[in-house]
Amino acid sequence: MTKRLTCDVVVVGAGMVGAACALYAARAGLDVRVVDRGPVAGGTTGAGEGNLLVSDKEPGPELELALLSARLWTGLAEELGPAIEYEPKGGLVVASTPGALAALRDFAAAQRTAGVTAQPVEADRLRDLEPHLAPGMAGGVRYPQDAQVMPALAAAQLLRASGAVLHTGRTVTGVLRTARGAVRGVRTDRGDLHAPAVVNAAGTWGGDLAALAGARLPVLPRRGFVLVTEPLPRRVRHKVYAADYVADVASDSAALRTSPVVEGTAAGPVLIGATRERVGFDRSLSLPAVRALAAGAIGLFPFLERVRALRTYAGFRPYLPDHLPAIGPDPRVPGLFHACGHEGAGIGLAPGTGRLIARTLAGEAPELDLTPFRPERFDTEKGGTP
Amino acid sequence: MTERPHLAVVGAGPAGLAAALAAAARGVRVTLVDAAGQAGGQFYRQPAAALGARRPKALHHQWRTWERLRDGLDRQRSAGRIEHLTDHHVWCVERLTGDGTFGVHALRGPAQEEGVTVRADAVLLATGGYERVLPFPGWTLPGVVTAGGAQAMLKGGLVLPGRTAVVAGTGPLLLPVAAGLAAAGARVAALVESAGPAALLRRAPALAGQPGKLAEGAGYATRLLRHGVRTLARHTVVAAHGTERLTAVTVAALDGAGRVRPGASRRVRCDTLAVGHGMLPHTDLAETLGCTLSGTAVRVDAEQRTDVPGVWAAGEATGVGGAGLALAEGHIAGRSAAARLRGTAPDPRGWAAAARSRTRLREFAAALDAVYAPPPGWAERVPDDTVVCRCEEVTAGEVRGAVDRLGAADLRTVKLLSRAGMGWCQGRMCAPGVAGLTGCPLTAGRRPFARPVPLGVLAALPESD
Amino acid sequence: MNPLELARARPGEAFTVTFDGRPLAALPGQTVAAALWAAGVPAWRSTRGTGRPRGLFCGIGVCFDCLVAVNDRPGQRACLVPVRPGDVIRTQEGTGRDDD
């Protein structure tokens, strides 16, 4: 092959994860292009809340990635702070019953051993932190490392900061490979882009992109509705949610589970989200879903009962069967790297993911062990984690 | 004894009334759900009863038609065939899984705090339209109102926005608004229409097919002359001035290509600017039901059916064309719905006259659309510091930046990256302006809630079947 | 000529409301916006961002520019809400809710 290369890396996907991959790859000295069939932040990124959470993660590889990302977000915020509406507001997880509180405290204790700052809050101090919180809660845990960004702005600003050439509205139709099977670029509906490395940051469509390269990656969509209220003064100060959220993330249930995270935003509206339903790519309004969100939010903050919702939107969170993302090189297709399947945590986990990808692209050792995230892990007989 | 099939008609303007009457006359039980306190919609908006208007006719055109609709509604209500729910603001229509019936979710009362749900076998959307206003410097000043808004306040509240008005923009609404304001005692300093007489002449064949419509226009023009109102064709308002409220506007002449002619502008003192650039359909309820849109309007077949079973649409929601067209479409939709609900196929011969009228009026509306297009170059004339999104106070510069600096290429991404369209009105007011400024196509926004809903109402929704 | 004369209206007896503490006469059947217009008041909201004055714009409940606080309830659309005797109408500042 003597074809001239377009660039060093093609990142497929102009969402939050693609933007972070582009940024850190560019900062590693690579010439990067980003291609997306839609606009910037047109998929999950544009339909999320912007949660940067460590509080909902149990000790393990995802938490390590979240902690790495939280540190990186702090640096990004110093560069881009107001432009991405970064707010290190902290999380407050509450429990309504003594039983739930005991489970929450145990969970927090384990998190602390993994490096999470988790501060128990007695029932009578909850309203010091959140004056409008419903009375009668059993207690809670405060997580100062939880933070917030405006996800679409964050993706757009990171892409801009990366200096990468951006091709939006351009669909990847194939992955170009050498006779020996290595990646040599992508084919798009508007010409080929040649590069020795391709990063799959296609989110919910990551499985489709992997398939174009002949690799199996079982990414599935999980629907989430978010409610947005009228603009309010800052009445909700933290990211506040009920303790059953933790159990819900790893749930395999296809039924609707209520676990609203309630939070104020820099722009004024309160965000309430998100539901988690496995219904494929169905975007149509589900009143039972928004009903559950509204009821859950009012349960936490009774003043919300008379506050009006201006809109609701649905997004699709990409997940893999073991609820861990796929990050790193694909041994089945040399030159193909995956950075997708982050479920509802992609905004928070993006910088860490981008950094790990950039390190491996540059041939350096990544900060974290990539074994739990390896993309070929579903090739075993049963499909689950071997 | 089987219960009569039940049709919910959303909107009690010309289309909704014609539909409700046609369906009720054919044995269907109709619930007419409307946001206003009285039937009539925007076109036949009535003064509040407590104002005791003995001659509301003085504010209206085609009063006979209104009397026929009003008397028909009274008769059908007395006969128990139509239930008219006033002050019901529909925020969502839900197609219930299982039996395929519908839940029409509304908020009751002007404060819109109490939820109520109407169950029906079929739904007919006659949701009307709202005015398109393109931005210009000063358009957020108090005293600048939409042309339709000035008219609504006059018809419904019997009040004027101020003493001296300029009526400006483009479209067939400007003439009746100027004539109405003048008749009610306002001094109308100028009627400023960006379209030129030549554009009207170019469309003469299509327009000549509607002698009644042309006579109507001529009638307004005569009334304007009588009130001494100066009409400035091929002119535009380029800026509104004032600090705390409007004090004057700058009016500029346009050349044949729609550009401002240098040196040809003047300042006109006024305390009111009634401005509009045409109408847009209300399509939120239809879109959430899954109805296909064509452009910014709900797509319907010859029977006014949408592509969602059990959902009809008529009037401005299916394409802006005025009250006459709305009446024809509503009549056809009501008859079709009645037949289909009774399990029979309707006979289109029964509505042949309405169908002919519909064809003619749609052609007329298309011709008017071409005549009253906003002048080219309006978007370039909007300076970067002009607020475009009135709710979130997003400027033209910020909107342009979302495209130029951040890579947005469609209205939704512009919204995400600039907040234009994220506020109270959910982009209804700014979307046409943002589309023009950015070159993004104007698409109907996805708004699952057609109006703000208290969270308490959402939380108390009935459990689905 | 005025609109009431044009429509030969015989409204019920006027009543008093207050706007930012100032008494105004209003007619039964009018909306809050109509009563404010009739009293020569063009603006009754200041924006969240820049504190600019706003009043009625679309007149039919779509634009939300005319938000006003009536009897301590913020966020009411003046063009839709009927005025009632004794109403305490106040300019809506920002979100219309007290900052904590």
Side-chain angles (χ1 to χ4, degrees):
Chain A
M1 285 291 146
T2 55
K3 197 112 190 173
R4 231 160 26 119
L5 294 174
T6 316
C7 55
D8 297 326
V9 190
V10 172
V11 175
V12 182
M16 188 66 240
V17 174
C21 289
L23 179 75
Y24 290 107
R27 290 193 172 170
L30 298 170
D31 182 11
V32 184
R33 292 199 179 207
V34 179
V35 57
D36 196 300
R37 64 178 185 179
V40 170
T44 307
T45 299
E49 308 109 288
N51 285 331
L52 316 183
L53 298 185
V54 298
S55 57
D56 64 336
K57 292 172 182 66
E58 60 187 335
E62 195 190 3
L63 180 57
E64 286 176 48
L65 181 59
L67 288 166
L68 169 63
S69 296
R71 286 195 297 278
L72 292 169
W73 270 118
T74 310
L76 291 170
E78 280 168 24
E79 279 178 56
L80 305 165
I84 61 174
E85 297 180 11
Y86 176 84
E87 282 188 274
K89 59 168 73 167
L92 179 65
V93 184
V94 297
S96 55
T97 63
L101 182 61
L104 175 63
R105 294 269 161 92
D106 288 348
F107 188 76
Q111 286 174 313
R112 269 192 296 274
T113 64
V116 172
T117 308
Q119 304 158 337
V121 183
E122 297 306 319
D124 58 351
R125 306 312 303 244
L126 282 172
R127 298 240 251 173
D128 296 345
L129 297 174
E130 287 293 346
H132 297 280
L133 191 69
M137 294 286 173
V141 175
R142 180 164 177 252
Y143 291 89
Q145 288 152 309
D146 283 356
Q148 159 94 3
V149 289
M150 199 295 194
L153 276 175
Q157 293 288 356
L158 259 64
L159 280 170
R160 190 163 179 248
S162 77
V165 176
L166 179 62
H167 304 279
T168 52
R170 191 161 165 179
T171 305
V172 172
T173 56
V175 174
L176 305 172
R177 301 174 67 180
T178 65
R180 307 180 64 175
V183 162
R184 59 179 185 88
V186 293
R187 174 145 294 166
T188 78
D189 57 352
R190 288 193 277 135
D192 295 351
L193 297 170
H194 292 101
V198 170
V199 176
N200 173 13
T204 316
W205 298 277
D208 297 343
L209 188 84
L212 290 177
R216 175 173 174 267
L217 192 67
V219 181
L220 294 163
R222 173 171 279 193
R223 184 171 74 179
F225 273 98
V226 177
L227 272 175
V228 186
T229 73
E230 61 184 294
L232 298 170
R234 187 49 76 86
R235 287 195 177 169
V236 180
R237 299 174 182 176
H238 301 77
K239 286 181 174 286
V240 182
Y241 59 95
D244 56 357
Y245 180 87
V246 175
D248 210 21
V249 170
S251 162
D252 261 343
S253 163
L256 172 67
R257 293 288 200 89
T258 308
S259 52
V261 180
V262 182
E263 65 187 308
T265 60
V270 167
L271 300 187
I272 302 162
T275 52
R276 291 162 185 276
E277 303 157 90
R278 277 158 46 169
V279 291
F281 284 105
D282 177 5
R283 199 179 279 283
S284 59
L285 175 65
S286 160
L287 285 178
V290 297
R291 176 174 166 276
L293 285 177
I298 293 168
L300 287 171
F301 291 98
F303 82 90
L304 288 173
E305 182 171 12
R306 297 180 82 173
V307 166
R308 285 162 284 189
L310 295 190
R311 65 194 163 105
T312 183
Y313 55 85
F316 301 102
R317 327 296 193 222
Y319 74 98
L320 287 158
D322 61 0
H323 301 281
L324 285 178
I327 302 171
D330 192 325
R332 301 164 297 185
V333 186
L336 179 65
F337 295 74
H338 296 282
C340 60
H342 295 73
E343 198 156 355
I347 307 301
L349 301 179
T353 302
R355 174 89 137 228
L356 296 173
I357 291 290
R359 286 277 179 118
T360 50
L361 281 168
E364 295 169 18
E367 284 99 328
L368 299 179
D369 175 16
L370 293 183
T371 311
F373 305 121
R374 59 191 205 289
E376 74 280 16
R377 64 188 189 271
F378 305 105
D379 282 351
T380 54
E381 197 80 44
K382 284 178 166 178
T385 308
Chain B
M1 180 177 132
T2 54
E3 209 178 312
R4 280 183 301 157
H6 182 200
L7 174 70
V9 176
V10 181
L17 283 171
L21 294 177
R26 285 159 186 82
V28 169
R29 183 163 73 93
V30 176
T31 302
L32 181 59
V33 191
D34 189 53
Q38 299 174 81
Q42 301 308 335
F43 190 79
Y44 287 120
R45 181 184 281 266
Q46 301 300 311
L51 287 167
R54 289 169 299 153
R55 196 170 168 268
K57 182 183 172 175
L59 305 161
H60 282 278
H61 197 70
Q62 294 162 14
W63 187 253
R64 284 268 180 73
T65 309
W66 165 246
E67 286 177 326
R68 189 169 53 77
L69 293 169
R70 181 196 61 196
D71 296 346
L73 177 62
D74 287 346
R75 272 196 307 275
Q76 298 289 16
R77 284 177 60 195
S78 311
R81 287 189 285 261
I82 295 181
E83 186 185 7
H84 180 198
L85 301 177
T86 58
D87 269 321
H88 278 61
H89 304 257
V90 178
W91 58 270
C92 184
V93 179
E94 178 188 17
R95 189 155 186 258
L96 300 166
T97 47
D99 60 359
T101 62
F102 297 86
V104 178
H105 300 288
L107 299 167
R108 194 147 58 181
Q112 303 186 27
E113 287 168 347
E114 187 196 341
V116 53
T117 299
V118 175
R119 293 288 178 92
D121 301 310
V123 180
L124 199 153
L125 302 172
T127 44
Y130 59 100
E131 214 162 356
R132 172 169 63 180
V133 185
L134 301 171
F136 52 89
W139 77 309
T140 53
L141 280 170
V144 179
V145 299
T146 68
Q151 193 182 46
M153 291 290 281
L154 175 58
K155 286 179 179 175
L158 303 181
V159 283
L160 288 171
R163 293 169 183 280
T164 305
V166 168
V167 178
T170 188
L173 181 62
L174 300 186
L175 269 173
V177 169
L181 292 175
R187 193 176 86 77
V188 178
L191 167 60
V192 183
E193 164 62 63
S194 63
L200 277 169
L201 284 178
R202 273 200 301 278
R203 299 283 162 177
L207 300 176
Q210 288 297 305
K213 285 277 179 186
L214 289 185
E216 185 183 322
Y220 287 127
T222 310
R223 281 164 67 190
L224 288 180
L225 276 177
R226 201 164 61 226
H227 290 290
V229 175
R230 175 168 53 148
T231 300
L232 299 170
R234 209 190 281 167
H235 277 67
T236 191
V237 167
V238 290
H241 310 285
T243 47
E244 295 305 300
R245 67 168 299 168
L246 179 73
T247 55
V249 295
T250 296
V251 177
L254 298 168
D255 67 15
R259 286 181 301 260
V260 167
R261 277 168 39 200
S265 69
R266 71 188 93 173
R267 211 170 159 107
V268 180
R269 292 181 62 82
C270 58
D271 58 14
T272 302
L273 172 63
V275 60
H277 301 98
M279 301 269 293
L280 287 170
H282 271 301
T283 54
D284 304 327
L285 299 176
E287 209 195 9
T288 302
L289 275 165
C291 303
T292 301
L293 304 188
S294 115
T296 56
V298 182
R299 196 168 78 191
V300 288
D301 66 7
E303 289 179 32
Q304 300 292 134
R305 285 181 299 180
T306 72
D307 57 355
V308 173
V311 181
W312 280 256
E316 310 291 49
T318 66
V320 170
L325 178 56
L327 287 169
E329 291 183 348
H331 180 75
I332 294 168
R335 290 180 72 137
S336 164
R340 300 278 172 195
L341 277 170
R342 303 185 136 270
T344 60
D347 181 359
R349 284 173 302 186
W351 64 60
R356 278 195 302 276
S357 165
R358 179 177 63 181
T359 304
R360 220 169 45 232
L361 289 167
R362 280 182 181 164
E363 282 166 14
F364 184 73
L368 282 186
D369 248 14
V371 170
Y372 294 116
W378 69 264
E380 289 106 86
R381 289 198 287 273
V382 180
D384 273 349
D385 63 357
T386 297
V387 165
V388 172
C389 168
R390 304 172 65 96
C391 301
E392 296 295 291
E393 299 172 83
V394 182
T395 64
E398 290 166 319
V399 165
R400 290 178 175 128
V403 174
D404 300 340
R405 289 193 299 276
L406 298 176
D410 63 308
L411 284 186
R412 179 172 177 270
T413 313
V414 171
K415 175 178 83 174
L416 286 172
L417 297 179
S418 73
R419 297 199 60 75
M422 274 203 196
W424 272 105
C425 89
Q426 290 292 292
R428 288 177 181 88
M429 290 296 119
C430 69
V434 172
L437 286 171
T438 57
C440 300
L442 179 62
T443 46
R446 198 182 297 137
R447 301 186 190 98
F449 300 155
R451 41 178 44 82
V453 196
L455 290 171
V457 170
L458 290 178
L461 280 173
E463 296 267 4
S464 281
D465 311 318
Chain C
M1 179 62 72
N2 70 40
L4 291 163
E5 287 167 15
L6 178 66
R8 289 201 205 135
R10 271 195 202 152
E13 204 173 327
F15 51 78
T16 304
V17 298
T18 63
F19 173 65
D20 288 344
R22 182 160 63 95
L24 304 177
L27 295 176
Q30 285 181 322
T31 59
V32 169
L36 290 170
W37 267 16
V41 177
W44 48 83
R45 180 168 81 89
S46 72
T47 60
R48 267 155 63 223
T50 56
R52 298 295 300 150
R54 295 281 177 87
L56 183 124
F57 185 61
C58 83
I60 59 169
V62 177
C63 79
F64 296 83
D65 246 3
C66 69
L67 295 180
V68 69
V70 182
N71 303 328
D72 290 326
R73 302 299 307 276
Q76 305 296 308
R77 275 167 281 182
C79 71
L80 296 182
V81 176
V83 68
R84 306 213 185 277
D87 272 352
V88 177
I89 305 162
R90 265 202 279 269
T91 293
Q92 174 160 332
E93 313 272 353
T95 62
R97 295 168 194 264
D98 297 333
D99 282 279
D100 299 328

